[in-house]
Amino acid sequence: MADIISRDGTWSFDGDTVRIVPGSKVHPVRQDLGELAVPLAAVAGAAFEPDRKGGRLRLRLRAGACPVLRAADGRLKDGADPYQLTVEKDRTGVAEYLVDEIRNALLIEQVPDGPVDRFLLPGPSVPVSGGGGDGTASFDGETVRLTWNWKADESKTGSGAVTLALAEVTGVRWMPAIGLENGSLRFDRGGTASAAPPKFDPYSLDLWGLSKREYTAVLVAAAVLVRMPASAAPLEAAPPEAAPPGDDHDALLRRLRELGDLYEAGILTDEEFATAKRAVLKRL
């Protein structure tokens, strides 16, 4: 077991799962998302980036594995990213050790770093709500509800709250406010995207970027995305990764031979070969 505890949160790794627990004063997106259990099969890599104050720990997931990252599409700020951890100066050694353990496990289990064809994490739990600007979006697992506040345009408030059954939703798109440009949370119906500005679209929130809480709209998008018919197959139905069982003696011996072949071929450096070999021997 490798773990690191900081003011920003706690990360631990038991060889199969990276468990992430956010700190008490982190970005609202991380607070609302809560504890995450990331299977090794969803991980593409890990890195520690040192700086004067300590550094930053980053977990890189395989494309398509996490519904929150899919919904965010690379637009999450560092503080809102659940797969980053700020590390204090006296914890840098532990952070580097954690990274080594994750990398060794990925190498031993031969986990590919390419994209996956379905979600490997369950996404935000429901009910979930988020947003701001001119209203709030909520989702209970079956129905999306958009309620308007006093700042919403009359074209929205005049018709009252909007409800959408999950079966009606054919797409969901989140865009944060960037600079002077407003953001939005849009729900598509009938396979078509509305051309109306979010301010006037009754199936969109208009996000102004006036508070961090507006970012929580991405959690609503992720919760809907993972439960839409095209992407809602049970997690346990995912095809198994082609990797040898961790406790199989013969499989570990084969892995040692494979590592030796990679080393002889010059693919692994001296340090990489020694580290991977130690990790395998520990499991024999």
Side-chain angles (χ1 to χ4, degrees):
M1 171 73 77
D3 57 17
I4 179 170
I5 302 172
S6 76
R7 288 190 293 270
D8 199 35
T10 301
W11 286 21
S12 60
F13 179 60
D14 62 5
D16 297 310
T17 304
V18 181
R19 194 164 299 277
I20 298 174
V21 181
S24 59
K25 297 182 179 180
V26 297
H27 193 284
V29 167
R30 292 171 60 194
Q31 282 182 338
D32 291 0
L33 190 56
E35 182 176 333
L36 296 173
V38 184
L40 187 64
V43 179
F48 176 66
E49 302 168 356
D51 59 31
R52 289 187 301 106
K53 296 181 179 180
R56 186 176 294 275
L57 192 59
R58 296 180 187 267
L59 191 68
R60 183 168 59 88
L61 268 58
R62 297 171 66 186
C66 174
V68 175
L69 295 186
R70 173 80 70 83
D73 195 23
R75 301 185 183 100
L76 279 182
K77 294 180 179 178
D78 283 353
D81 189 339
Y83 304 109
Q84 296 189 30
L85 182 74
T86 301
V87 177
E88 290 86 16
K89 201 167 188 177
D90 60 348
R91 297 286 190 274
T92 57
V94 181
E96 291 171 345
Y97 173 73
L98 180 65
V99 167
D100 286 342
E101 290 293 292
I102 294 173
R103 287 177 174 174
N104 290 341
L106 291 171
L107 180 63
I108 293 168
E109 300 298 339
Q110 296 180 296
V111 177
D113 62 1
V116 297
D117 59 4
R118 57 172 317 251
F119 294 123
L120 299 181
L121 280 86
S125 57
V126 293
V128 62
S129 64
D134 65 355
T136 300
S138 60
F139 178 57
D140 62 6
E142 297 180 354
T143 303
V144 175
R145 183 176 175 84
L146 302 176
T147 56
W148 314 116
N149 58 34
W150 63 273
K151 293 174 284 188
D153 189 82
E154 187 176 345
S155 60
K156 291 182 174 181
T157 58
S159 302
V162 171
T163 58
L164 276 172
L166 180 60
E168 296 179 67
V169 180
T170 57
V172 56
R173 294 167 290 147
W174 173 79
M175 171 71 75
I178 301 175
L180 298 178
E181 295 291 327
N182 286 0
S184 63
L185 174 64
R186 290 180 176 268
F187 296 93
D188 300 332
R189 303 176 306 138
T192 59
S194 172
K199 178 179 180 179
F200 305 113
D201 182 1
Y203 300 103
S204 299
L205 289 185
D206 194 17
L207 304 177
W208 301 344
L210 300 180
S211 74
K212 290 182 178 180
R213 291 298 312 176
E214 283 194 20
Y215 260 75
T216 55
V218 73
L219 299 181
V220 180
V224 171
L225 191 63
V226 77
R227 290 169 176 83
M228 287 173 61
S231 57
L235 289 178
E236 50 269 26
E241 295 289 337
D247 297 325
D248 188 308
H249 187 271
D250 291 339
L252 290 173
L253 289 177
R254 286 196 300 272
R255 186 58 185 147
L256 279 176
R257 287 194 292 271
E258 290 171 0
L259 289 172
D261 292 341
L262 292 172
Y263 177 66
E264 290 296 328
I267 297 173
L268 294 179
T269 65
D270 291 348
E271 182 180 355
E272 289 171 337
F273 174 66
T275 300
K277 181 179 177 181
R278 282 197 303 271
V280 173
L281 291 174
K282 282 169 61 177
R283 300 176 64 175
L284 276 171

